[in-house]
Amino acid sequence: MNALWATPEKKVEGADGWTFTRMRQWNTAIWNRVVEMLRVVEEVQRWPQELKRAVVCLLPKPGGLFSTENPLQARPIILLSALYRLWARTKVPHVMRWMGEVGLDSTKGQGCEQLAVLAALVLEEAAVESQEAALIGIDLAKAYDRIHLEDLGT
């Protein structure tokens, strides 16, 4: 429940049609059923079809004039189920703790330019040493933290 109350009320409606404001009004009986459903989801590792729906929106880039003839002046954003977003928010501390335990949080706070240089250096060293290399990057921070909700609509 802490994750729900920590979520700003002005968040846009999810692809499931739910809002965090409305979810805050649910009674204990509803939340007990939601918790049970999420327990099953984690156990079987499969989400109900209704909660897997996503809506892709194109947001105009700052200063850009987006049109169908000029699609590069927009940036895509995917709206997921509000219930999924709430569940994912509860998992972030666990993932961050695990990343620290296994040494994967060494790039926290670096910008994409620094990470691109680091990736290039790792790949170059592997090539010089005739070794195979693979990299993975996971951005757990909000990518679009300055979006004006009125631009999204519903």
Side-chain angles (χ1 to χ4, degrees), residues 51-84:
L51 297 179
K52 293 191 318 187
R53 183 171 173 251
V55 177
V56 179
C57 301
L58 294 175
L59 301 178
K61 290 182 179 177
L65 296 173
F66 170 70
S67 69
T68 53
E69 294 82 32
N70 198 5
L72 295 180
Q73 288 303 314
R75 141 182 35 183
I77 185 170
I78 300 173
L79 300 178
L80 301 171
S81 155
L83 189 56
Y84 172 81

Side-chain angles (χ1 to χ4, degrees), residues 66-148:
F66 170 70
S67 69
T68 53
E69 294 82 32
N70 198 5
L72 295 180
Q73 288 303 314
R75 141 182 35 183
I77 185 170
I78 300 173
L79 300 178
L80 301 171
S81 155
L83 189 56
Y84 172 81
R85 290 174 13 217
L86 182 63
W87 172 85
R89 186 177 201 130
T90 68
K91 299 302 174 187
V92 169
H94 303 286
V95 173
M96 297 301 283
R97 184 171 44 254
W98 171 80
M99 288 178 67
E101 290 170 2
V102 298
L104 295 176
D105 64 345
S106 61
T107 59
K108 182 178 180 181
Q110 294 186 27
C112 60
E113 296 86 2
Q114 293 94 342
L115 296 176
V117 169
L118 177 61
L121 290 173
V122 168
L123 294 174
E124 180 66 24
E125 180 180 5
V128 168
E129 299 292 327
S130 298
Q131 296 177 345
E132 293 182 3
L135 301 173
I136 185 169
I138 302 172
D139 183 0
L140 296 177
K142 291 173 64 176
Y144 303 114
D145 57 355
R146 291 187 174 91
I147 291 176
H148 301 284

